[in-house]
Amino acid sequence: MAFQAAQYQATVDKLTSGVSSLSAKLNTVPGKANSAADQWWIPGWLADKVIWFGKKLCEIGAWILDKIKECLEGAAAPVYMMVHGFQWQTLRGLANGVTGQLQPAVLGATGEWKGAAADAYGKEIPRQAAAATSLGGTCDKTSTSLETCAAAGLAFYLALALVLVKFIAATITAIAALGSVVFSWAGFLLIIEEAGVNTAVIVAAVSALMVLLGAQAKEMAALHGNAVDTSQYPGGHWPVSVKPA
């Protein structure tokens, strides 16, 4: 899945508004449960079940809200990753441009310039070109890793948005049952099912994201190794173009 800024922003906005909506709906549950349990025709044992149901609904909803809020704390990261990924591609273009300019066919003066200085100059061209080529490859891989992470972030928050939408719908159903003074075990089982499914989805989404980010962290470590490779960057530095006599 490619990262799309508009889609990502819409997803984050939906999550933010959904969190507020679910929180507001859950705040009405205790009052509705107490009101339903307080009716004169509701026997004591059923009133206790209604109150218990309301508490459980609030507990489950609070867990869902807390997890989504925690995940939203990193919502800005995919955007920064995509921006920096684009910038690394700009650096890649500059590095590849240097590689293209450091070719014997382009450096026409090498065909007329003779002597020790010309020989020394000619020997340095491949080292400079190789370093620029290596830098271009590092920039490209870094950009790809950042863009992959950004796309993974989009998929992750899309999964969370789906969880939130489904749970809000289930919560509305449960609240409607309480408001109509109709306690339904089927309604409670719907909430439990949704909570179980949503919990599993959240855990699976977080796990998948962590696996991907772990792989990308290894890739970044490999890129660091390439950046300090002494075969292209002697002593961890860009090769000097002129050696002291």
Side-chain angles (χ1 to χ4, degrees), residues 1-9 74-91 139-155 157 213 216 220:
M1 177 184 292
F3 183 89
Q4 297 180 9
Q7 182 185 21
Y8 182 76
Q9 186 60 53
V79 177
Y80 285 111
M81 289 176 182
M82 197 63 199
V83 170
H84 289 304
F86 181 82
Q87 292 173 341
W88 275 100
Q89 282 295 341
T90 299
L91 293 175
C139 292
D140 185 43
K141 291 180 180 178
T142 301
S143 175
T144 299
S145 293
L146 289 170
E147 291 172 359
T148 299
C149 290
L154 171 59
Y157 286 110
L213 293 182
Q216 293 304 309
M220 295 302 291

Side-chain angles (χ1 to χ4, degrees), residues 4 6 46 58 60 83 92 95 106 120 135 137 147 153 167 169 184 189 191 202 205 240:
Q4 297 180 9
L46 184 54
C58 289
I60 294 170
V83 170
R92 170 180 172 267
V106 177
L135 177 59
E147 291 172 359
F167 191 75
S184 169
L189 291 176
I191 290 292
I202 291 176
V240 296

Side-chain angles (χ1 to χ4, degrees), residues 6-146:
Q7 182 185 21
Y8 182 76
Q9 186 60 53
T11 300
V12 173
D13 290 343
K14 180 185 293 185
L15 279 167
T16 302
S17 63
V19 165
S20 298
S21 175
L22 179 57
S23 180
K25 294 181 187 308
L26 289 174
N27 287 336
T28 69
V29 171
K32 290 184 178 296
N34 289 330
S35 177
D38 196 40
Q39 300 301 319
W40 65 267
W41 62 82
I42 300 293
W45 66 268
L46 184 54
D48 292 340
K49 297 298 183 183
V50 170
I51 296 298
W52 177 82
F53 173 73
K55 289 181 179 179
K56 286 298 178 182
L57 176 58
C58 289
E59 289 176 5
I60 294 170
W63 188 91
I64 297 289
L65 281 174
D66 287 344
K67 294 305 176 185
I68 292 180
K69 287 178 181 178
E70 289 177 8
C71 294
L72 280 173
E73 291 178 1
V79 177
Y80 285 111
M81 289 176 182
M82 197 63 199
V83 170
H84 289 304
F86 181 82
Q87 292 173 341
W88 275 100
Q89 282 295 341
T90 299
L91 293 175
R92 170 180 172 267
L94 293 174
N96 288 345
V98 172
T99 300
Q101 294 171 3
L102 293 175
Q103 300 299 322
V106 177
L107 302 173
T110 58
E112 303 173 1
W113 189 17
K114 304 296 183 181
D119 294 340
Y121 175 74
K123 290 179 181 179
E124 289 302 318
I125 293 176
R127 298 174 68 243
Q128 296 287 318
T133 299
S134 178
L135 177 59
T138 299
C139 292
D140 185 43
K141 291 180 180 178
T142 301
S143 175
T144 299
S145 293
L146 289 170

Side-chain angles (χ1 to χ4, degrees), residues 220-234:
M220 295 302 291
L223 289 172
H224 174 72
N226 291 337
V228 297
D229 185 358
T230 56
S231 65
Q232 305 299 338
Y233 308 106

